[in-house]
Amino acid sequence: MGVCDSAYQTLQRVFDAAGVTEFDYAQGYEVMLSMMETIEVDAAQSADPDHATAQGWLKWCYDLRTRPEAIMYFGDHIAENVFRTADGQIHESLVAARDYDRRRFAALKQDHAAARVINGVRIGDDGAETWERVDPANAALAVYEAFIWHDSTTGLNHRTDSIADAVAFNAAQAKILDAIDAAEAAARIEQRITDESGVFSVWVPRAER
């Protein structure tokens, strides 16, 4: 549970002294209080500053109540049908949370696609303009006299006669899409678990996507 190598040996002595096989947080804390001298000797050998004193061990033991890995390790937890997506929204099932995430990122990509549009401008002999959606990766950009795109962050249209500027805008937009993809890949769905007393609730990641 993220502690130094001697942690489990020390805890085992605590559990043995308590005479229990299932950890009771309050009882364990009281047992540790009665073993301060022994724990102080063990703690002095720790390379972890947080566990170098008996007081540090007491704090660690007390904090176990709210650590999800501890609650689940000792098997006294209740997994609830309550799930939280990375944006803080709460859902009543894992299926609903997954569907919400799928729709959320799909909407972001759709908005991004609309904001990424670049129009090539052809100017006729009479000065009339014709706008055509263009792909900046296309080598035929030289046939256009100007380029126009919409900046979704400011609500303004931008116009340039520079092919390089149009290509640079498109490249910047591609990075935004990459960021959305990365955020979707990293987005976690967490499930709420509560200890059997009903006092402490914590969130744990659900690996399934």
Side-chain angles (χ1 to χ4, degrees):
M1 288 177 284
V3 296
C4 54
D5 292 340
S6 62
Y8 294 107
Q9 295 176 2
T10 299
L11 285 178
Q12 189 62 57
R13 282 194 289 273
V14 172
F15 296 159
D16 290 343
V20 296
T21 56
E22 294 184 4
F23 186 68
D24 179 278
Y25 299 108
Q27 183 181 7
Y29 188 71
E30 291 300 320
V31 170
M32 291 189 81
L33 282 175
S34 70
M35 297 174 61
M36 291 295 283
E37 291 185 3
T38 300
I39 294 174
E40 195 73 59
V41 173
D42 288 336
Q45 303 174 40
S46 174
D48 187 333
D50 292 335
H51 303 135
T53 65
Q55 191 63 39
W57 271 101
L58 284 175
K59 182 180 185 304
W60 182 85
C61 184
Y62 187 80
D63 291 344
L64 278 177
R65 300 171 306 157
T66 57
R67 290 182 60 175
E69 65 270 37
I71 292 174
M72 298 183 76
Y73 177 83
F74 292 117
D76 60 348
H77 66 283
I78 299 170
E80 301 181 51
N81 288 323
V82 181
F83 299 84
R84 182 173 65 183
T85 44
D87 62 348
Q89 295 297 310
I90 306 299
H91 310 271
E92 294 183 353
S93 72
L94 182 58
V95 171
R98 287 171 176 164
D99 184 62
Y100 170 81
D101 257 359
R102 178 188 59 77
R103 290 183 284 107
R104 178 166 68 98
F105 285 104
L108 288 174
K109 292 176 183 179
Q110 184 176 7
D111 290 344
H112 168 79
R116 192 172 178 174
V117 172
I118 298 178
N119 293 288
V121 180
R122 296 178 186 266
I123 302 177
D125 294 337
D126 59 354
E129 294 187 354
T130 301
W131 290 17
E132 300 173 358
R133 182 169 179 169
V134 299
D135 178 1
N138 192 326
L141 295 181
V143 301
Y144 299 102
E145 282 78 24
F147 302 92
I148 295 176
W149 63 82
H150 181 76
D151 187 338
S152 59
T153 60
T154 64
L156 302 175
N157 284 342
H158 290 268
R159 184 183 182 110
T160 180
D161 58 1
S162 167
I163 293 177
D165 287 348
V167 171
F169 167 78
N170 188 64
Q173 292 292 302
K175 292 181 180 179
I176 295 175
L177 180 59
D178 290 343
I180 295 174
D181 287 338
E184 181 175 16
R188 299 195 309 175
I189 294 175
E190 298 173 315
Q191 183 176 15
R192 189 166 68 192
I193 64 170
T194 302
D195 72 349
E196 289 181 348
S197 70
V199 176
F200 298 102
S201 292
V202 293
W203 294 93
V204 299
R206 286 301 300 254
E208 303 94 283
R209 295 290 302 165

